[in-house]
Amino acid sequence: MPQADDAQAADGRADGRADDTQAADARADDARAAAAPRRTAFDWTDAEARRRADAGLVRTLRPRAAESDLLDLAGNDYLGLTRRPEVTGAAAGAARRWGAGATGSRLVTGTTLLHTDLERELAAFCGFEAALVFSSGYAANLAVLTALGGRDSLIVSDAANHASLVDGCRLARAETAVVPHADPEAVRKTLEAHPGRRALVVSDSVFSVDGDRAPLAELAAACRTHGAGLVVDDAHGFGVLGDGGRGASHGAGLAGDEDVVATLTLSKSLGSQGGAVLGPARVIEHLVNAARTFIFDTGLAPAAVGGALASLRLIAAEPGLAGRVRAVATGLYERLTAAGLTAARPDAAVVSVRAPSPEAALRWAADCREQGLAVGCFRPPSVPDGVSRLRLTARADLTDAQIDRAVETVLRTAPAA
């Protein structure tokens, strides 16, 4: 059968050529793959980085030295307590006694006598029934909105609220209605449109961009008409507003009311670190049992608790600190606007000065820094109205000479309108 054998041999040669072709193709594919840039899981971040750079929105970490010649009007140490010897000594003493960390969740091992002392004294000073300390003000806001909100509830949120409140609304899985800034009538109408609904109204007490104060009494009235709770983020009001710095809720006559909850940070007027929630005892008990940022988070470090407690006692002993920081803020505003700059009249410690553009704001802040003055710089998208600003934060411990220096530097470096 020679013809059959020849056919089989031909088929074999054809198969061999096909195998050779496939092998060559495979080698070519391997070569192309080797020559192509290697792709990894996070290559997409390069495109994001280019997008930020093109938009002029790159953020950069800039470590600072322990000692600096810069005059700081960028931080939030409103009462100038973060370096007071009583505060630093108390923080160091707490670390030596209790250790560098809290060692665990506050429900396991992370609660110390210092934590409970701070909570008791905070509540008493601010006029609330109880308080609960968290590892940050951000965590405190997330706790309140997630534990007091829920899928079947409504949250009414001011359009200019801090990012922590915005994130808290999202995590709460509640229906969220964002209302125009500082508009109690819009709040009332929103609540009226949801009769019988479990609801929270949430607002900063002092808004961090322009430093204006929320109309808390009017918001509380709208809440009570419709049976809603009021949550006040007093991060920028505590230590500055109210009798002796007892906070915006105290100043509005709302502290201790059964339908009002306040949050605050220990990192601004108290010059330390951490956050707290103040309110009715039953609300605080609910947070202990339901707030995930409390239950599953390591407790605030003892040094931060000790420092905050020492600062709180200084505020109570020196009630003039709150009035001093407000006077410094007002003085900065009056001198800058008298010289022709546009600024928002401060209700607390934040002085916001408008810049003609985002680029001008960045250059202005950089020029101030080069001349020894640190100021904040707010620009889109961080500001919802799209207006760029310098933000100056007043401090109670600024001397008249330092205030003169700050004003002169801002005016000397101001861009053309």
Side-chain angles (χ1 to χ4, degrees):
M1 300 173 48
Q3 291 179 342
D5 291 343
D6 290 345
Q8 288 176 352
D11 288 345
R13 287 192 297 272
D15 289 344
R17 286 193 297 272
D19 290 342
D20 291 344
T21 301
Q22 290 173 354
D25 289 345
R27 288 192 296 272
D29 289 343
D30 290 344
R32 283 192 294 269
R38 182 171 175 268
R39 298 182 64 184
T40 63
F42 301 116
D43 286 348
W44 60 269
T45 62
D46 296 333
E48 288 295 296
R50 288 191 294 271
R51 180 187 60 79
R52 285 192 295 270
D54 291 343
L57 296 174
V58 176
R59 296 177 172 90
T60 304
L61 290 172
R62 182 166 43 204
R64 62 178 175 87
E67 303 293 338
S68 173
D69 292 332
L70 281 175
L71 177 58
D72 183 14
L73 269 69
N76 295 317
D77 183 21
Y78 294 145
L79 303 185
L81 298 180
T82 193
R83 289 183 178 271
R84 283 276 292 262
E86 302 96 318
V87 176
T88 56
R96 284 193 295 268
R97 182 177 182 190
W98 296 100
T103 75
S105 163
R106 289 200 52 197
L107 287 168
V108 183
T109 59
T111 295
T112 70
L113 293 175
L114 278 176
H115 289 83
T116 56
D117 285 347
L118 177 58
E119 287 164 348
R120 184 182 64 254
E121 294 188 31
L122 263 178
F125 180 74
C126 296
F128 285 85
E129 190 175 8
L132 190 65
V133 167
F134 288 77
S135 60
S136 71
Y138 212 111
N141 279 341
L142 297 185
V144 166
L145 293 175
T146 56
L148 299 182
R151 290 184 185 276
D152 59 342
S153 65
L154 171 72
I155 299 177
V156 184
S157 178
D158 189 290
N161 275 344
H162 187 262
S164 59
L165 296 176
V166 173
D167 288 350
C169 291
R170 292 169 176 166
L171 290 172
R173 301 181 182 180
E175 179 182 351
T176 299
V178 178
V179 294
H181 176 52
D183 190 342
E185 182 61 18
V187 170
R188 185 190 64 77
K189 289 180 178 178
T190 303
L191 293 173
E192 195 172 73
H194 297 82
R197 189 91 170 268
R198 192 176 102 201
L200 293 173
V201 173
V202 59
S203 176
D204 284 355
S205 65
V206 175
F207 294 88
S208 60
V209 174
D210 272 337
D212 56 318
R213 191 188 314 196
L216 294 184
E218 293 85 350
L219 291 176
C223 287
R224 285 165 185 165
T225 300
H226 299 282
L230 177 62
V231 176
V232 179
D233 178 356
D234 206 19
H236 297 277
F238 173 69
V240 179
L241 300 178
D243 180 23
R246 286 171 170 79
S249 296
H250 191 281
L254 303 175
D257 288 356
E258 63 181 6
D259 53 0
V260 175
V261 172
T263 66
L264 53 86
T265 175
L266 313 181
S267 64
K268 292 182 172 61
S269 288
L270 293 180
S272 183
Q273 186 76 26
V277 179
L278 299 89
R282 63 181 179 178
V283 170
I284 299 304
E285 181 185 5
H286 178 71
L287 296 181
V288 170
N289 287 276
R292 294 172 67 84
T293 56
F294 180 82
I295 297 168
F296 298 106
D297 193 19
T298 297
L300 183 62
V305 181
L309 185 56
S311 288
L312 179 63
R313 291 169 177 171
L314 284 173
I315 295 174
E318 302 178 23
L321 288 171
R324 169 63 181 169
V325 71
R326 293 197 304 270
V328 171
T330 300
L332 287 169
Y333 162 79
E334 290 176 346
R335 292 179 62 178
L336 293 173
T337 53
L341 298 182
T342 301
R345 178 175 288 278
D347 286 330
V350 172
V351 182
S352 178
V353 185
R354 295 200 167 200
S357 69
E359 297 76 19
L362 282 174
R363 183 71 258 165
W364 196 359
D367 289 345
C368 284
R369 189 176 188 86
E370 288 176 4
Q371 299 197 27
L373 175 67
V375 297
C377 178
F378 279 28
R379 58 204 169 102
S382 298
V383 287
D385 61 2
V387 178
S388 297
R389 301 159 170 85
L390 291 193
R391 193 183 78 161
L392 286 63
T393 50
R395 296 206 324 261
D397 63 332
L398 290 178
T399 65
D400 290 344
Q402 288 173 321
I403 295 170
D404 290 343
R405 176 183 162 194
V407 170
E408 291 163 5
T409 302
V410 170
L411 294 177
R412 185 168 57 248
T413 57

Short mmCIF file of all heavy atoms in Angstrom, two decimals, residues 276-325:
data_model
loop_
_atom_site.label_atom_id
_atom_site.label_comp_id
_atom_site.label_asym_id
_atom_site.label_seq_id
_atom_site.Cartn_x
_atom_site.Cartn_y
_atom_site.Cartn_z
N ALA A 276 -15.05 63.54 70.44
CA ALA A 276 -16.02 63.19 71.48
C ALA A 276 -17.43 63.45 70.98
O ALA A 276 -17.65 64.30 70.10
CB ALA A 276 -15.77 63.97 72.77
N VAL A 277 -18.37 62.72 71.55
CA VAL A 277 -19.80 62.96 71.34
C VAL A 277 -20.41 63.29 72.68
O VAL A 277 -20.13 62.62 73.69
CB VAL A 277 -20.49 61.71 70.74
CG1 VAL A 277 -21.98 61.97 70.56
CG2 VAL A 277 -19.85 61.32 69.42
N LEU A 278 -21.26 64.33 72.72
CA LEU A 278 -21.94 64.74 73.94
C LEU A 278 -23.43 64.72 73.70
O LEU A 278 -23.90 65.12 72.62
CB LEU A 278 -21.50 66.15 74.36
CG LEU A 278 -20.02 66.35 74.67
CD1 LEU A 278 -19.26 66.73 73.41
CD2 LEU A 278 -19.84 67.44 75.72
N GLY A 279 -24.19 64.24 74.68
CA GLY A 279 -25.63 64.19 74.50
C GLY A 279 -26.33 63.52 75.66
O GLY A 279 -25.73 63.30 76.73
N PRO A 280 -27.59 63.15 75.48
CA PRO A 280 -28.31 62.43 76.53
C PRO A 280 -27.64 61.10 76.84
O PRO A 280 -27.05 60.46 75.95
CB PRO A 280 -29.70 62.21 75.89
CG PRO A 280 -29.80 63.24 74.82
CD PRO A 280 -28.42 63.42 74.30
N ALA A 281 -27.73 60.66 78.09
CA ALA A 281 -27.07 59.42 78.50
C ALA A 281 -27.54 58.24 77.67
O ALA A 281 -26.75 57.35 77.34
CB ALA A 281 -27.31 59.18 79.98
N ARG A 282 -28.82 58.20 77.30
CA ARG A 282 -29.31 57.05 76.54
C ARG A 282 -28.74 57.02 75.13
O ARG A 282 -28.53 55.94 74.55
CB ARG A 282 -30.83 57.04 76.50
CG ARG A 282 -31.48 58.23 75.81
CD ARG A 282 -32.99 58.09 75.86
NE ARG A 282 -33.68 59.23 75.24
CZ ARG A 282 -34.99 59.31 75.12
NH1 ARG A 282 -35.77 58.34 75.59
NH2 ARG A 282 -35.55 60.35 74.55
N VAL A 283 -28.44 58.19 74.57
CA VAL A 283 -27.79 58.23 73.26
C VAL A 283 -26.35 57.73 73.37
O VAL A 283 -25.88 56.94 72.53
CB VAL A 283 -27.84 59.65 72.68
CG1 VAL A 283 -26.95 59.76 71.44
CG2 VAL A 283 -29.26 60.04 72.34
N ILE A 284 -25.64 58.16 74.41
CA ILE A 284 -24.27 57.72 74.59
C ILE A 284 -24.22 56.21 74.81
O ILE A 284 -23.37 55.51 74.25
CB ILE A 284 -23.62 58.47 75.77
CG1 ILE A 284 -23.59 59.98 75.49
CG2 ILE A 284 -22.22 57.93 76.03
CD1 ILE A 284 -22.91 60.39 74.21
N GLU A 285 -25.15 55.67 75.59
CA GLU A 285 -25.20 54.22 75.80
C GLU A 285 -25.45 53.50 74.48
O GLU A 285 -24.86 52.44 74.21
CB GLU A 285 -26.30 53.88 76.80
CG GLU A 285 -26.41 52.38 77.08
CD GLU A 285 -27.57 52.03 77.98
OE1 GLU A 285 -28.36 52.93 78.32
OE2 GLU A 285 -27.69 50.84 78.34
N HIS A 286 -26.31 54.07 73.64
CA HIS A 286 -26.58 53.46 72.34
C HIS A 286 -25.32 53.44 71.49
O HIS A 286 -25.03 52.43 70.81
CB HIS A 286 -27.70 54.22 71.63
CG HIS A 286 -28.01 53.69 70.26
ND1 HIS A 286 -28.64 52.49 70.05
CD2 HIS A 286 -27.74 54.21 69.02
CE1 HIS A 286 -28.76 52.27 68.75
NE2 HIS A 286 -28.24 53.30 68.11
N LEU A 287 -24.54 54.50 71.51
CA LEU A 287 -23.31 54.54 70.73
C LEU A 287 -22.32 53.48 71.20
O LEU A 287 -21.64 52.85 70.39
CB LEU A 287 -22.67 55.93 70.82
CG LEU A 287 -23.45 57.10 70.22
CD1 LEU A 287 -22.66 58.39 70.38
CD2 LEU A 287 -23.79 56.85 68.77
N VAL A 288 -22.21 53.29 72.51
CA VAL A 288 -21.32 52.27 73.04
C VAL A 288 -21.68 50.90 72.47
O VAL A 288 -20.81 50.06 72.20
CB VAL A 288 -21.36 52.25 74.58
CG1 VAL A 288 -20.63 51.04 75.15
CG2 VAL A 288 -20.77 53.54 75.15
N ASN A 289 -22.95 50.67 72.25
CA ASN A 289 -23.41 49.36 71.80
C ASN A 289 -23.59 49.24 70.29
O ASN A 289 -23.70 48.13 69.79
CB ASN A 289 -24.75 49.04 72.48
CG ASN A 289 -24.58 48.68 73.93
OD1 ASN A 289 -24.29 47.54 74.27
ND2 ASN A 289 -24.77 49.67 74.81
N ALA A 290 -23.62 50.37 69.57
CA ALA A 290 -23.97 50.30 68.15
C ALA A 290 -23.00 51.00 67.22
O ALA A 290 -23.04 50.75 66.00
CB ALA A 290 -25.37 50.89 67.94
N ALA A 291 -22.13 51.87 67.72
CA ALA A 291 -21.25 52.65 66.84
C ALA A 291 -20.00 51.85 66.49
O ALA A 291 -19.16 51.56 67.34
CB ALA A 291 -20.87 53.96 67.52
N ARG A 292 -19.86 51.51 65.22
CA ARG A 292 -18.75 50.66 64.80
C ARG A 292 -17.39 51.34 64.97
O ARG A 292 -16.40 50.68 65.25
CB ARG A 292 -18.96 50.24 63.34
CG ARG A 292 -20.16 49.34 63.14
CD ARG A 292 -20.47 49.10 61.67
NE ARG A 292 -19.45 48.34 61.00
CZ ARG A 292 -19.36 47.01 61.00
NH1 ARG A 292 -20.25 46.29 61.66
NH2 ARG A 292 -18.40 46.39 60.32
N THR A 293 -17.33 52.67 64.80
CA THR A 293 -16.05 53.36 64.98
C THR A 293 -15.66 53.47 66.44
O THR A 293 -14.55 53.91 66.75
CB THR A 293 -16.08 54.75 64.34
OG1 THR A 293 -17.16 55.51 64.88
CG2 THR A 293 -16.22 54.67 62.84
N PHE A 294 -16.55 53.08 67.33
CA PHE A 294 -16.20 52.96 68.75
C PHE A 294 -15.88 51.51 69.09
O PHE A 294 -14.86 51.20 69.70
CB PHE A 294 -17.35 53.45 69.63
CG PHE A 294 -17.06 53.35 71.10
CD1 PHE A 294 -16.32 54.32 71.75
CD2 PHE A 294 -17.52 52.27 71.85
CE1 PHE A 294 -16.04 54.22 73.10
CE2 PHE A 294 -17.25 52.16 73.20
CZ PHE A 294 -16.49 53.14 73.82
N ILE A 295 -16.74 50.59 68.68
CA ILE A 295 -16.63 49.19 69.07
C ILE A 295 -15.35 48.56 68.50
O ILE A 295 -14.66 47.81 69.20
CB ILE A 295 -17.86 48.41 68.59
CG1 ILE A 295 -19.12 48.94 69.27
CG2 ILE A 295 -17.71 46.91 68.85
CD1 ILE A 295 -20.42 48.42 68.66
N PHE A 296 -15.03 48.86 67.24
CA PHE A 296 -13.97 48.14 66.56
C PHE A 296 -12.68 48.96 66.40
O PHE A 296 -11.78 48.54 65.66
CB PHE A 296 -14.46 47.67 65.18
CG PHE A 296 -15.62 46.71 65.27
CD1 PHE A 296 -16.89 47.12 64.95
CD2 PHE A 296 -15.42 45.42 65.71
CE1 PHE A 296 -17.96 46.25 65.03
CE2 PHE A 296 -16.48 44.53 65.81
CZ PHE A 296 -17.76 44.94 65.47
N ASP A 297 -12.59 50.07 67.07
CA ASP A 297 -11.40 50.93 66.96
C ASP A 297 -10.61 50.89 68.26
O ASP A 297 -11.19 50.83 69.35
CB ASP A 297 -11.84 52.37 66.66
CG ASP A 297 -10.69 53.25 66.21
OD1 ASP A 297 -9.65 52.71 65.79
OD2 ASP A 297 -10.83 54.48 66.29
N THR A 298 -9.30 50.94 68.15
CA THR A 298 -8.47 51.05 69.35
C THR A 298 -8.74 52.37 70.05
O THR A 298 -8.92 53.40 69.40
CB THR A 298 -6.98 50.95 68.97
OG1 THR A 298 -6.74 49.66 68.39
CG2 THR A 298 -6.09 51.13 70.18
N GLY A 299 -8.77 52.33 71.36
CA GLY A 299 -9.05 53.53 72.13
C GLY A 299 -8.02 54.62 71.92
O GLY A 299 -6.87 54.36 71.53
N LEU A 300 -8.42 55.85 72.19
CA LEU A 300 -7.53 57.00 72.07
C LEU A 300 -6.34 56.82 73.00
O LEU A 300 -6.48 56.41 74.15
CB LEU A 300 -8.29 58.28 72.42
CG LEU A 300 -7.53 59.59 72.27
CD1 LEU A 300 -7.10 59.83 70.84
CD2 LEU A 300 -8.40 60.75 72.76
N ALA A 301 -5.13 57.13 72.51
CA ALA A 301 -3.91 56.94 73.29
C ALA A 301 -3.94 57.75 74.57
O ALA A 301 -4.41 58.90 74.59
CB ALA A 301 -2.69 57.33 72.46
N PRO A 302 -3.44 57.19 75.67
CA PRO A 302 -3.48 57.88 76.96
C PRO A 302 -2.84 59.26 76.94
O PRO A 302 -3.32 60.18 77.60
CB PRO A 302 -2.72 56.93 77.89
CG PRO A 302 -2.95 55.58 77.30
CD PRO A 302 -2.95 55.80 75.81
N ALA A 303 -1.74 59.42 76.19
CA ALA A 303 -1.10 60.74 76.15
C ALA A 303 -2.05 61.80 75.59
O ALA A 303 -2.11 62.92 76.11
CB ALA A 303 0.17 60.67 75.29
N ALA A 304 -2.81 61.46 74.54
CA ALA A 304 -3.77 62.40 73.97
C ALA A 304 -4.88 62.71 74.96
O ALA A 304 -5.33 63.86 75.09
CB ALA A 304 -4.35 61.85 72.67
N VAL A 305 -5.34 61.69 75.69
CA VAL A 305 -6.39 61.90 76.69
C VAL A 305 -5.87 62.80 77.81
O VAL A 305 -6.55 63.75 78.22
CB VAL A 305 -6.88 60.56 77.25
CG1 VAL A 305 -7.98 60.78 78.27
CG2 VAL A 305 -7.36 59.64 76.14
N GLY A 306 -4.68 62.51 78.29
CA GLY A 306 -4.12 63.32 79.38
C GLY A 306 -3.91 64.76 78.98
O GLY A 306 -4.20 65.69 79.74
N GLY A 307 -3.42 64.98 77.74
CA GLY A 307 -3.23 66.34 77.27
C GLY A 307 -4.55 67.08 77.12
O GLY A 307 -4.66 68.25 77.50
N ALA A 308 -5.56 66.41 76.57
CA ALA A 308 -6.87 67.04 76.40
C ALA A 308 -7.50 67.38 77.74
O ALA A 308 -8.12 68.45 77.89
CB ALA A 308 -7.80 66.11 75.60
N LEU A 309 -7.35 66.51 78.72
CA LEU A 309 -7.92 66.76 80.04
C LEU A 309 -7.25 67.97 80.69
O LEU A 309 -7.92 68.83 81.29
CB LEU A 309 -7.77 65.52 80.91
CG LEU A 309 -8.40 65.55 82.31
CD1 LEU A 309 -9.88 65.87 82.23
CD2 LEU A 309 -8.18 64.22 83.02
N ALA A 310 -5.93 68.08 80.54
CA ALA A 310 -5.23 69.24 81.09
C ALA A 310 -5.68 70.52 80.40
O ALA A 310 -5.88 71.56 81.05
CB ALA A 310 -3.72 69.05 80.94
N SER A 311 -5.87 70.48 79.08
CA SER A 311 -6.34 71.66 78.35
C SER A 311 -7.74 72.05 78.79
O SER A 311 -8.04 73.25 78.96
CB SER A 311 -6.33 71.38 76.84
OG SER A 311 -5.02 71.33 76.33
N LEU A 312 -8.61 71.07 78.96
CA LEU A 312 -9.97 71.37 79.39
C LEU A 312 -9.97 72.10 80.73
O LEU A 312 -10.72 73.07 80.94
CB LEU A 312 -10.77 70.08 79.48
CG LEU A 312 -12.22 70.21 79.95
CD1 LEU A 312 -13.03 71.04 78.96
CD2 LEU A 312 -12.86 68.83 80.12
N ARG A 313 -9.12 71.66 81.63
CA ARG A 313 -9.04 72.30 82.94
C ARG A 313 -8.47 73.71 82.83
O ARG A 313 -8.88 74.61 83.59
CB ARG A 313 -8.22 71.42 83.88
CG ARG A 313 -8.94 70.12 84.24
CD ARG A 313 -8.06 69.12 84.95
NE ARG A 313 -8.82 67.93 85.33
CZ ARG A 313 -8.29 66.80 85.81
NH1 ARG A 313 -6.97 66.72 85.95
NH2 ARG A 313 -9.05 65.78 86.12
N LEU A 314 -7.56 73.93 81.89
CA LEU A 314 -7.04 75.29 81.67
C LEU A 314 -8.13 76.20 81.13
O LEU A 314 -8.24 77.37 81.53
CB LEU A 314 -5.86 75.25 80.70
CG LEU A 314 -4.52 74.77 81.25
CD1 LEU A 314 -3.50 74.63 80.12
CD2 LEU A 314 -4.00 75.73 82.31
N ILE A 315 -8.94 75.71 80.19
CA ILE A 315 -10.04 76.52 79.65
C ILE A 315 -11.01 76.92 80.76
O ILE A 315 -11.48 78.06 80.83
CB ILE A 315 -10.77 75.76 78.53
CG1 ILE A 315 -9.84 75.54 77.34
CG2 ILE A 315 -12.01 76.52 78.08
CD1 ILE A 315 -10.44 74.67 76.25
N ALA A 316 -11.31 75.95 81.62
CA ALA A 316 -12.22 76.24 82.74
C ALA A 316 -11.62 77.26 83.69
O ALA A 316 -12.33 78.12 84.23
CB ALA A 316 -12.56 74.95 83.48
N ALA A 317 -10.31 77.20 83.88
CA ALA A 317 -9.63 78.11 84.81
C ALA A 317 -9.34 79.47 84.19
O ALA A 317 -9.12 80.46 84.91
CB ALA A 317 -8.32 77.48 85.28
N GLU A 318 -9.31 79.55 82.85
CA GLU A 318 -8.98 80.79 82.15
C GLU A 318 -10.09 81.13 81.15
O GLU A 318 -9.91 81.03 79.93
CB GLU A 318 -7.64 80.67 81.44
CG GLU A 318 -6.48 80.34 82.38
CD GLU A 318 -5.16 80.17 81.65
OE1 GLU A 318 -5.02 80.72 80.53
OE2 GLU A 318 -4.26 79.49 82.18
N PRO A 319 -11.25 81.53 81.62
CA PRO A 319 -12.40 81.74 80.71
C PRO A 319 -12.20 82.86 79.71
O PRO A 319 -12.94 82.94 78.72
CB PRO A 319 -13.54 82.07 81.68
CG PRO A 319 -12.88 82.54 82.93
CD PRO A 319 -11.60 81.78 83.03
N GLY A 320 -11.20 83.69 79.89
CA GLY A 320 -10.96 84.78 78.95
C GLY A 320 -10.33 84.33 77.64
O GLY A 320 -10.27 85.12 76.68
N LEU A 321 -9.87 83.09 77.56
CA LEU A 321 -9.23 82.61 76.33
C LEU A 321 -10.19 82.67 75.14
O LEU A 321 -9.80 83.05 74.04
CB LEU A 321 -8.74 81.17 76.52
CG LEU A 321 -7.51 80.98 77.43
CD1 LEU A 321 -7.28 79.49 77.68
CD2 LEU A 321 -6.27 81.61 76.79
N ALA A 322 -11.44 82.29 75.35
CA ALA A 322 -12.42 82.28 74.26
C ALA A 322 -12.63 83.69 73.71
O ALA A 322 -12.66 83.91 72.49
CB ALA A 322 -13.74 81.68 74.74
N GLY A 323 -12.79 84.66 74.60
CA GLY A 323 -12.98 86.04 74.16
C GLY A 323 -11.76 86.58 73.45
O GLY A 323 -11.88 87.34 72.47
N ARG A 324 -10.58 86.19 73.90
CA ARG A 324 -9.35 86.67 73.27
C ARG A 324 -9.23 86.18 71.84
O ARG A 324 -8.91 86.95 70.93
CB ARG A 324 -8.14 86.22 74.10
CG ARG A 324 -6.79 86.42 73.44
CD ARG A 324 -6.46 87.87 73.17
NE ARG A 324 -5.15 88.01 72.53
CZ ARG A 324 -4.69 89.13 71.99
NH1 ARG A 324 -5.42 90.23 72.01
NH2 ARG A 324 -3.50 89.17 71.42
N VAL A 325 -9.50 84.89 71.60
CA VAL A 325 -9.33 84.39 70.23
C VAL A 325 -10.37 85.02 69.30
O VAL A 325 -10.06 85.32 68.13
CB VAL A 325 -9.40 82.84 70.19
CG1 VAL A 325 -10.80 82.30 70.44
CG2 VAL A 325 -8.88 82.33 68.85
#
